[in-house]
Amino acid sequence: MIRILLLSALVVGALSCGSPTYPPQVPRVPNSWPWQVSLQYSFNDKWYHTCGGSLVANNWIMTAAHCIRSSWTYRVVLGRQKPSTEESGSLAVMVSKLVVHEKWNSSQVTKGNDIGLLKLAVSVSLSDKIQLACLPPAGTILPNHYPCYVTGWGNLQTKGKSPDVLQQGRLLVVDYATCSSSGWWGSIVKTNMVCAGGDGVVASCFVSTENQWEVHGVVSCSSSLSCNYYHKPSVFTRVSNYISWIQSVRATRALSPGALPCSPAPAGRRGLRTPPSS
Ligand SMILES: *[C@@H]1O[C@H](CO)[C@@H](O)[C@H](O)[C@H]1NC(C)=O
């Protein structure tokens, strides 16, 4: 299974997103990460969880580019704790469009740009269990040791089984200067990434505050040696580096009137479909 987790950081700010009806706690509280979705692909008439993602608008999901295969059929499940179990208040919505960052190259993972957007076939209504993620302001850099949570259905142990229930784990940010130093990731890590963890331990801890959460990272890669290898923190795509890209993808798609006619239309009707002549 491809591992994907979302990195959320608690910050002060506006409340139309990032403020769960059921705030996260330790032990975990159901539906306390209401922007977390399960991305699922169809195979032999069944749906399989492959990656997590986050709801960034009523009809857009942010996930990792490495989770997206252009030939696959996807749906997104929202408001659910167990990806494959029907739960009241949860929704399954088909994905109508896959957009992978232009500079993503799966043969060059260490160049970064491991980010994609999925357009939903219908806009979802928000509820106590389905809410929007906030994105950080463009360019935001979290300081060293800033506490974050990873959430998702990724493996709990190296080579372990993936969990049924949505997991959360507290991770501390490792700043770029540290993460890119020798003995850590070195030159593998770029400024378009965020590192977190790497102390050999993932602990779930309670953070008390009533402010807002922001999604700062999308899990891109981690040590192939083990989940919690000393000085090899998980590497996330730094979302704050892609705010304008996200905006441009959404804007382009929103403004597009659909396919234009191949032959020029008469003045005044350019771009409009003419009725078939009888
Ligand atoms: C992706 O990276 C590989 C390996 O470096 C390279 O051969 C290929 O041309 C790249 N693809 C694109 C679309 O840039």
Side-chain angles (χ1 to χ4, degrees):
M1 167 171 320
I2 301 165
R3 214 161 76 92
I4 166 103
L5 301 162
L6 300 164
L7 183 66
S8 299
L10 192 57
V11 297
V12 182
L15 301 175
S16 59
C17 57
S19 300
T21 304
Y22 311 105
Q25 290 179 19
V26 175
R28 64 175 176 265
V29 173
N31 305 109
S32 59
W33 306 100
W35 47 86
Q36 171 81 48
V37 306
S38 160
L39 177 62
Q40 306 187 349
Y41 64 95
S42 166
F43 183 73
N44 280 350
D45 294 331
K46 284 186 72 178
W47 293 102
Y48 296 90
H49 170 82
T50 177
C51 279
S54 47
L55 185 69
V56 296
N58 295 62
N59 58 344
W60 286 100
I61 302 295
M62 178 176 69
T63 188
H66 76 251
C67 297
I68 301 173
R69 305 272 182 283
S70 60
S71 58
W72 289 13
T73 300
Y74 292 100
R75 73 172 187 178
V76 161
V77 169
L78 307 102
R80 210 177 265 187
Q81 297 305 291
K82 297 184 177 181
S84 50
T85 305
E86 198 57 57
E87 290 172 17
S88 83
S90 73
L91 281 180
V93 180
M94 294 299 293
V95 170
S96 63
K97 195 164 282 177
L98 309 170
V99 183
V100 168
H101 195 280
E102 310 75 58
K103 293 193 178 146
W104 164 249
N105 184 334
S106 58
S107 308
Q108 299 183 334
V109 176
T110 61
K111 288 211 165 153
N113 305 306
D114 188 3
I115 189 167
L117 289 170
L118 309 173
K119 190 174 189 184
L120 301 179
V122 294
S123 288
V124 299
S125 301
L126 305 182
S127 68
D128 60 333
K129 295 178 179 170
I130 301 174
Q131 288 162 29
L132 300 180
C134 297
L135 300 181
T140 305
I141 303 290
L142 297 175
N144 206 27
H145 299 313
Y146 196 91
C148 294
Y149 277 79
V150 288
T151 57
W153 291 274
N155 294 357
L156 297 178
Q157 292 159 349
T158 307
K159 297 189 176 146
K161 201 170 160 283
S162 67
D164 285 342
V165 180
L166 181 64
Q167 302 291 309
Q168 64 183 28
R170 190 171 183 259
L171 291 180
L172 301 183
V173 166
V174 177
D175 66 10
Y176 174 74
T178 306
C179 199
S180 63
S181 63
S182 64
W184 292 68
W185 280 117
S187 61
I188 287 174
V189 160
K190 309 296 186 299
T191 56
N192 60 11
M193 304 174 185
V194 183
C195 300
D199 59 355
V201 178
V202 171
S204 292
C205 309
F206 178 60
V207 173
S208 74
T209 159
E210 63 263 287
N211 299 317
Q212 108 187 346
W213 296 83
E214 291 175 352
V215 176
H216 276 259
V218 176
V219 162
S220 185
C221 54
S222 56
S223 171
S224 56
L225 299 171
S226 88
C227 287
N228 283 310
Y229 199 69
Y230 185 63
H231 283 185
K232 291 290 181 286
S234 295
V235 178
F236 298 78
T237 302
R238 179 165 65 81
V239 172
S240 68
N241 192 50
Y242 296 93
I243 301 301
S244 61
W245 178 78
I246 291 168
Q247 283 164 351
S248 71
V249 169
R250 290 180 50 192
T252 308
R253 299 308 186 274
L255 291 173
S256 169
L260 294 170
C262 296
S263 55
R269 294 196 59 83
R270 197 168 293 275
L272 294 177
R273 191 171 296 170
T274 48
S277 50
S278 47

